[in-house]
Amino acid sequence: MARSAALAPRLPRVRRHWLTPPVALAGAAMLAVLVPLAPPLALLGLAALGALALATLERRLVSLALGALVVLLAGYAFFSRGFAWVGVPPLFIGEPVLALLLLAVMAWRAPGRLGWPHAGIAVFMLWGLARTLPFLTRDGIDAARDSVVWLYALFAIAVSLLMTRQRFEHATELYGRVLLVFAIWVPIAGLLHLMGILRFAWPGAPTPLLTFKAGDMAVHLAGIAAFVSLGLYAGGRGQALRESLLWPAWAAGAVFAMSANRGGMLALLMTTPLAFLAMRSSRRLTLLVSGAAVLAVVVMVNPSLPTPRGRDVSLAGVAANALSIFVNAEESDREGTKEWRLEWWGEIVDYTIRGPYPLGKGFGVNLADSDGFQTDGTLRSPHNIHMTVLARMWLPGLVLWLALQGAFGAALLRAWRRARRRGDEFWASVNVWLLVYWAAMLTNASFDVYIEGPQGGVWFWTVMGLGIAALRIQREERASAPDGDGDAASEPAGRLAGAAPRRSG
């Protein structure tokens, strides 16, 4: 406990001397003079004065920014695309939170160190900027909106620099408090969506606030399964009761997600086994028994709900979705969407590698309209993030994107192996949890428009930011270990109010 506290960076005292009353008075007087003479300069000065005022809060500003991020992530998780429209066009709720995070990084005197992940993100963003600027005058706000593919990487940079060991432990504790509510919410939200209830929208938004995107929900269900399976969801009274409620709700939500969306199904089936393989053998047996019991109940009940699209929410619907990946499905809807995707992806490869767009089409053009694959008039990007990057950023962008993702995943795997060798169960579990979350997001993004929108993009880059911070903190703890070989973690780590370090199998 004491050793962990010694490893944690000291939080600086709150600065109070930047914005003194004379400075504030002089600034207000200058703004009063500029308002009639030069309104744009007055607006710029007001923004600068507000930034200076916020910067004096320092540590409080960091807490405010991270708290706003938590609210943002929760809104995106529970309401998906409908929550993304909260705001006043062209600025929505994600942009002020991002600005607050960047301001917190600039105000805090003890940010984390920059490393190779930041360099990789910076190069990717610079190439994205180069493929956006030429189209700003032509496409305006559309170019800015499409550029979130690379622009939201700022969330990863900000989060990675603001996180400390204590904040990480607090984040896992907070996530553990919310996941049961979310697991229960998923099937409820699915039912409300099917019944057409709660269809109200944010003023001016084209999408209802309650939007059930099966793939998005499946991503978070994969993260929950990994979190609980790895022993991070433990401690405190009523744990057995909470888990007994969690898994049936999780299973019901998984049936909803896997019946409706192939990407969501693959996100669950391809990533949750990673957590199973990484967990302790004693937990594997417990999880197998409980999982078999839940599966038996689901099979006996065999729930089935019809949907407007004809894809029933049922075990048969899950099986049909799985079968359609490998063979031609009987339902024309499933087969049609698969062929539609493959044709569009092939078109993108043709015109970027062998065709008239050797540098890609850039950010701003509606790819669905331009490529001739529009469906309902609202689609802008292909249902595959890798194809989106190729179509808009050409081969250099795709290479940078794949290299960044591959290096990040490999780094988390190496960190997990080192943590297991040291006996640090907290970091070993956190590394796999973040790896599963990241892999589930990439899997879903390979079959749906996910990272291209704020409800998926902010979550994706935030998880990457957490992973980068985890890698840095573990490296710092190994370097600070008294014996020099990183065995400081063999002692149970310090925690905040019963956080996760002692939550082992």
Side-chain angles (χ1 to χ4, degrees):
M1 187 91 173
R3 182 177 297 178
S4 176
L7 290 173
R10 290 186 177 182
L11 294 176
R13 294 183 178 179
V14 178
R15 292 181 188 170
R16 301 184 184 275
H17 58 279
W18 282 10
L19 195 63
T20 59
V23 173
L25 185 60
M30 185 177 299
L31 289 177
V33 173
L34 286 176
V35 166
L37 299 178
L41 288 179
L43 183 61
L44 184 61
L46 181 62
L49 193 63
L52 186 60
L54 287 174
T56 61
L57 296 174
E58 195 172 336
R59 189 172 59 181
R60 296 178 187 175
L61 179 58
V62 175
S63 299
L64 178 63
L66 293 177
L69 178 62
V70 169
V71 173
L72 182 70
L73 294 176
Y76 286 150
F78 278 83
F79 299 103
S80 190
R81 185 168 53 196
F83 187 78
W85 287 94
V86 174
V88 179
L91 293 179
F92 299 96
I93 189 170
E95 283 71 27
V97 175
L98 176 58
L100 194 58
L101 284 167
L102 296 176
L103 188 60
V105 171
M106 292 185 288
W108 194 35
R109 290 184 296 177
R113 294 182 178 180
L114 297 173
W116 66 262
H118 301 97
I121 291 175
V123 174
F124 177 71
M125 291 185 67
L126 286 174
W127 181 250
L129 180 63
R131 300 302 300 139
T132 304
L133 288 178
F135 309 102
L136 277 175
T137 55
R138 184 192 70 187
D139 300 306
I141 193 63
D142 287 336
R145 179 171 59 176
D146 292 336
S147 67
V148 299
V149 169
W150 58 267
L151 185 61
Y152 278 168
L154 290 172
F155 277 96
I157 295 175
V159 170
S160 67
L161 296 177
L162 291 175
M163 292 301 292
T164 63
R165 172 71 184 239
Q166 288 90 341
R167 289 173 184 155
F168 236 112
E169 293 173 355
H170 183 63
T172 57
E173 181 187 9
L174 183 61
Y175 185 85
R177 291 178 180 177
V178 176
L179 62 84
L180 175 58
V181 178
F182 181 80
I184 296 174
W185 166 251
V186 172
I188 294 176
L191 286 172
L192 294 176
H193 179 74
L194 290 179
M195 297 169 64
I197 300 177
L198 299 179
R199 302 294 291 175
F200 60 88
W202 183 265
T207 304
L209 183 60
L210 175 56
T211 304
F212 185 86
K213 285 199 68 180
D216 297 13
M217 298 296 185
V219 164
H220 298 300
L221 289 175
I224 289 173
F227 189 88
V228 177
S229 302
L230 292 164
L232 290 167
Y233 183 56
R237 290 184 175 183
Q239 178 191 344
L241 176 61
R242 290 196 301 271
E243 288 206 35
S244 65
L245 294 173
L246 172 69
W247 286 117
W250 186 94
V255 171
F256 262 98
M258 292 193 294
S259 298
N261 186 274
R262 270 189 293 248
M265 180 189 63
L266 289 174
L268 281 168
L269 296 182
M270 294 180 63
T271 59
T272 50
L274 294 175
F276 181 80
L277 294 174
M279 72 178 65
R280 281 180 149 195
S281 57
S282 58
R283 286 194 62 84
R284 289 179 191 169
L285 180 60
T286 303
L287 187 64
L288 279 175
V289 172
S290 59
V294 171
L295 181 61
V297 171
V298 173
V299 171
M300 286 188 294
V301 175
N302 192 22
S304 180
L305 290 171
T307 68
R309 295 180 60 188
R311 297 187 182 186
D312 291 352
V313 178
S314 62
L315 294 179
V318 174
N321 246 355
L323 189 64
S324 69
I325 297 174
F326 305 103
V327 299
N328 291 339
E330 294 181 1
E331 292 88 342
S332 59
D333 176 53
R334 287 189 173 92
E335 185 60 24
T337 56
K338 183 175 73 173
E339 293 299 329
W340 171 78
R341 285 183 174 92
L342 293 176
E343 290 178 10
W344 194 355
W345 299 347
E347 179 73 14
I348 291 172
V349 171
D350 286 340
Y351 70 64
T352 53
I353 297 179
R354 298 185 291 270
Y357 294 96
L359 293 178
K361 294 188 176 182
F363 290 91
V365 63
N366 186 317
L367 292 177
D369 289 340
S370 177
D371 298 348
F373 289 86
Q374 185 59 262
T375 55
D376 57 0
T378 62
L379 184 64
R380 297 190 59 84
S381 302
H383 285 218
N384 185 299
I385 182 59
H386 317 296
M387 291 294 106
T388 296
V389 172
L390 177 62
R392 297 194 183 278
M393 303 173 68
W394 190 49
L395 280 176
L398 183 62
V399 170
L400 290 171
W401 166 258
L402 294 177
L404 178 62
Q405 302 309 316
F408 176 76
L412 281 180
L413 279 174
R414 289 195 300 269
W416 166 69
R417 293 179 60 186
R418 283 195 295 263
R420 288 200 68 176
R421 286 199 300 265
R422 298 196 315 272
D424 190 337
E425 295 180 9
F426 173 67
W427 280 125
S429 298
V430 166
N431 288 326
V432 177
W433 172 51
L434 294 176
L435 182 67
V436 168
Y437 233 137
W438 165 81
M441 290 176 180
L442 275 184
T443 303
N444 182 49
S446 299
F447 295 89
D448 199 359
V449 180
Y450 182 63
I451 297 176
E452 296 91 329
Q455 75 278 358
V458 174
W459 260 101
F460 176 79
W461 289 110
T462 298
V463 167
M464 281 200 68
L466 290 173
I468 295 169
L471 296 172
R472 169 181 55 81
I473 296 169
Q474 291 173 84
R475 186 167 58 249
E476 292 171 352
E477 291 183 355
R478 290 197 305 271
S480 303
D483 55 6
D485 61 359
D487 288 335
S490 60
E491 179 180 320
R495 54 191 179 131
L496 296 180
R502 293 185 183 176
R503 295 172 182 172
S504 62

